[in-house]
Amino acid sequence: MTAADARQGRSHIGPFLAREWRAWPRQLRGAWRQSLQFRTIVITIALTTVALLGAGIYTSVSIGNDLFHSRLNQVLADSNQAAQAAQTIFDASDSTSETSVSTLLNSAQSKITSSSSSRLIAILTAPGNDQGTTSFLPFASPALNAKGLISDSLKGQVTGGDGTQTQYWQSVALPNSTGGTDPGIIVGTPLTIPSAGQYQLYLGYNLADAGQTLSFVQQTLWIAGLLLTLLIAVVAWVIVRLVIEPIRITAETSEQLAAGRLEVRIPEKGDDILATLARSFNGMADSMQGQITQLAELSQLQQRFVSDVSHELRTPLTTIRLAGDMLYDQRDTFEPAIGRTAELLHTQTVRFEMLLGDLLEISRFDAGSADLNVESTNLVRLAEDAVDQMQPLAASAGSEIRVFAPGGYVEVELDASRIRRILTNLLGNAIEHGEGRPIVVSVDSNVSSIAVAVRDYGIGMSPDEAERVFERFWRADPSRKRTIGGTGLGLAISLEDAALHRGALEVWSESGAGSCFRLTLPRIHGHSAGTSPLPLPPEDAGQPYGEIQ
């Protein structure tokens, strides 16, 4: 591989890794929403981390404070012992000359060194000390000579003591051999040299060993907390898996049952509560499967009964229709009462024949055997044909049918007979309930759908009635007289016809403002209907009929 190939490979890997990193937040959000196991483990780890962090901080602070105070007590005892030893030497001496005082001071320094664990020693003149004719230069260990190491505040406390306290201390940062600093304590104690006046003893103690101990304890706490968190995470994963796995299996089984696979069941293991849940679920599934099977058999028997009855009635109905037509044709030669009876027989026979046809069609839909006879046609032409067919009936009812077609002139593949039946049913309902007012048929199309709407300005329906308008044999006003003589199945069949085309038949209605039925069909056969090009509710939905005219 050449260097150019390697660079090209890295140039491809870099964006890929970047895309992978950017995808992580989305994947984590998806896992949080979808996985109960992931969510439970994350919450357990988070709460455990917070609890261990709080316990670790508290333990670390407590141990640190305990180490400091323990070391402080040792330092104060050690310093007090050294100060008392030095003061004993000073009290026992009567030296007055500068040479003898220096010798005395050297003896005290040696005694302090032997009595104390500290090698950081300073003996300084107290501020305001009147030494008279005898004086000597104070001395201090090199490590305590740093400017500001022995603060003026500490010197003031040692100088201005009220006698109840002989030791004063402060925390400092002592320089070490590596050029850094170590934590330390400086303890100050007042001393009195009879022949030289007031002096101050300062001893420095390095606390690096306590700091190392605290660091070791903190490191141990962090490692133990991390291991404990990982252990709890593993335990939580195992426990959650034991609990979640049966629930996951139950959920998957429920989805399969909902999808129609009624034979699936949950494995039953053990005698615990989860096994009881599995047995109860399986029992419910068995009962549901039995009921669904029974209902399916009853539905098939009902469909077969309706189909068989409809077919069996065809033959006697044909005979009755022939006899009725003969009587109807000769009605003018009969007496008026008999002639009226012949007319009623003819009308009801025709309606009975229509009802049988609708029942057969409904049984085909229920059995799933209805299919489409697709052909290329024009929806505007179908609408005009339906209007022409219903025009005499509309004229007798006093309604004018207007066709408004800004679009929809494209050729589309659909079952022309079924669409024509839908339009005829919609126009018949509009004439039936239009109160003699105009009826508007609108046709339009867009890139994905083609639609036709039938709008009347009659009595309309309430929202509850509009929800039930497609139910079989349902009538909004049972007391209202039928003028067309429908079977009560027209809109139910129209809804099935629309669904068979993968379209939609919808209704808007308002009491006193009329109704609008909209049929939306896909422009491409086999696709689902998209957004309808015609609005529903219609644009004139909120206007009074007088303004619409």
Side-chain angles (χ1 to χ4, degrees):
M1 178 184 294
T2 64
D5 293 337
R7 287 194 299 271
Q8 185 176 6
R10 287 194 297 271
S11 66
H12 285 85
I13 293 174
F16 173 76
L17 293 177
R19 287 194 299 271
E20 289 296 316
W21 277 97
R22 287 195 296 267
W24 279 18
R26 184 176 65 255
Q27 294 173 355
L28 290 176
R29 288 195 298 269
W32 177 268
R33 290 194 304 268
Q34 299 173 5
S35 175
L36 178 61
Q37 182 174 352
F38 176 78
R39 193 161 60 245
T40 303
I41 294 175
V42 169
I43 292 174
T44 302
I45 294 176
L47 294 178
T48 302
T49 302
V50 172
L52 291 178
L53 185 62
I57 293 175
Y58 173 78
T59 304
S60 177
V61 172
S62 299
I63 293 176
N65 289 335
D66 185 71
L67 283 174
F68 177 78
H69 286 93
S70 176
R71 192 74 175 91
L72 176 62
N73 291 333
Q74 294 176 1
V75 165
L76 292 177
D78 185 87
S79 174
N80 184 57
Q81 181 180 354
Q84 288 181 355
Q87 187 63 53
T88 300
I89 293 176
F90 293 149
D91 292 341
S93 174
D94 56 355
S95 299
T96 57
S97 65
E98 182 175 343
T99 302
S100 60
V101 171
S102 297
T103 302
L104 180 64
L105 193 61
N106 291 332
S107 300
Q109 182 179 1
S110 300
K111 186 64 175 178
I112 292 172
T113 302
S114 62
S115 302
S116 172
S117 61
S118 174
R119 295 297 177 265
L120 303 176
I121 304 172
I123 299 178
L124 305 178
T125 305
N129 181 23
D130 183 9
Q131 296 175 302
T133 59
T134 303
S135 64
F136 60 91
L137 293 175
F139 73 92
S141 300
L144 293 182
N145 272 331
K147 183 178 180 180
L149 193 60
I150 303 175
S151 67
D152 294 337
S153 173
L154 180 60
K155 292 178 180 179
Q157 290 178 348
V158 176
T159 302
D162 55 3
T164 61
Q165 183 176 350
T166 59
Q167 289 182 300
Y168 301 90
W169 62 274
Q170 71 175 14
S171 297
V172 294
L174 297 175
N176 56 26
S177 59
T178 62
T181 59
D182 292 328
I185 294 177
I186 294 179
V187 181
T189 306
L191 294 177
T192 301
I193 302 178
S195 59
Q198 297 295 322
Y199 284 81
Q200 296 175 345
L201 172 63
Y202 293 98
L203 297 177
Y205 296 88
N206 194 310
L207 302 184
D209 55 344
Q212 292 174 358
T213 302
L214 181 62
S215 298
F216 174 76
V217 170
Q218 290 176 340
Q219 183 178 4
T220 304
L221 288 175
W222 278 109
I223 295 175
L226 179 60
L227 293 177
L228 186 58
T229 301
L230 294 177
L231 178 61
I232 292 177
V234 173
V235 172
W237 181 82
V238 173
I239 294 176
V240 170
R241 182 174 179 83
L242 291 175
V243 175
I244 296 298
E245 187 66 17
I247 299 177
R248 184 186 62 80
I249 295 176
T250 303
E252 293 178 353
T253 306
S254 300
E255 292 178 355
Q256 295 179 6
L257 286 173
R261 298 181 57 187
L262 302 179
E263 72 281 357
V264 295
R265 296 294 183 269
I266 301 176
E268 300 178 13
K269 299 178 182 179
D271 297 320
D272 56 11
I273 186 65
L274 295 176
T276 303
L277 173 62
R279 285 192 293 270
S280 300
F281 185 91
N282 292 338
M284 179 188 67
D286 292 338
S287 176
M288 184 167 55
Q289 182 181 15
Q291 293 180 4
I292 291 176
T293 303
Q294 183 180 4
L295 290 175
E297 293 175 353
L298 290 175
S299 178
Q300 292 177 357
L301 289 175
Q302 179 184 9
Q303 295 169 13
R304 188 180 306 166
F305 174 77
V306 173
S307 178
D308 292 344
V309 168
S310 300
H311 279 291
E312 291 299 326
L313 288 177
R314 283 287 185 181
T315 301
L317 179 61
T318 302
T319 304
I320 295 173
R321 176 69 182 273
L322 291 174
D325 288 344
M326 292 181 60
L327 293 175
Y328 182 75
D329 292 338
Q330 301 294 326
R331 67 185 182 279
D332 293 336
T333 61
F334 299 148
E335 296 181 2
I338 299 177
R340 176 58 180 166
T341 301
E343 292 178 357
L344 291 175
L345 177 62
H346 175 77
T347 303
Q348 294 304 317
T349 302
V350 172
R351 187 169 182 271
F352 190 25
E353 190 174 17
M354 292 173 56
L355 178 60
L356 279 179
D358 288 347
L359 286 174
L360 281 173
E361 190 67 16
I362 285 291
S363 66
R364 294 190 190 99
F365 283 121
D366 291 341
S369 59
D371 54 3
L372 295 175
N373 185 17
V374 177
E375 60 180 295
S376 181
T377 186
N378 186 294
L379 188 59
V380 176
R381 186 166 58 250
L382 289 179
E384 291 174 345
D385 291 345
V387 169
D388 291 340
Q389 179 181 347
M390 301 299 292
Q391 193 66 51
L393 185 61
S396 64
S399 295
E400 176 189 0
I401 303 178
R402 306 169 184 172
V403 179
F404 177 68
Y409 292 92
V410 294
E411 295 291 321
V412 291
E413 292 185 344
L414 45 81
D415 190 328
S417 61
R418 292 184 183 275
I419 300 302
R420 189 179 291 109
R421 180 168 61 187
I422 295 175
L423 295 176
T424 302
N425 281 324
L426 297 182
L427 286 171
N429 278 305
I431 296 171
E432 179 83 26
H433 304 283
E435 300 292 310
R437 295 172 178 172
I439 299 170
V440 179
V441 178
S442 303
V443 186
D444 204 351
S445 59
N446 56 25
V447 294
S448 62
S449 305
I450 186 168
V452 57
V454 177
R455 171 79 160 102
D456 69 77
Y457 301 92
I459 59 175
M461 294 178 289
S462 65
D464 293 338
E465 293 172 339
E467 290 182 359
R468 302 187 58 190
V469 73
F470 294 108
E471 293 182 7
R472 300 174 183 179
F473 298 109
W474 182 83
R475 295 182 62 186
D477 186 4
S479 62
R480 185 178 177 87
K481 181 181 178 182
R482 287 185 183 269
T483 59
I484 299 178
T487 63
L489 295 172
L491 289 178
I493 294 175
S494 297
L495 186 66
E496 297 288 351
D497 283 335
L500 202 59
H501 285 82
R502 303 188 69 175
L505 180 59
E506 303 162 280
V507 62
W508 166 89
S509 187
E510 186 176 328
S511 296
S515 304
C516 182
F517 287 84
R518 183 183 68 182
L519 172 65
T520 305
L521 301 171
R523 286 187 60 167
I524 301 177
H525 177 65
H527 290 206
S528 297
T531 303
S532 180
L534 295 175
L536 193 73
E539 295 178 352
D540 58 359
Q543 302 179 27
Y545 173 69
E547 295 183 5
I548 295 174
Q549 283 183 307

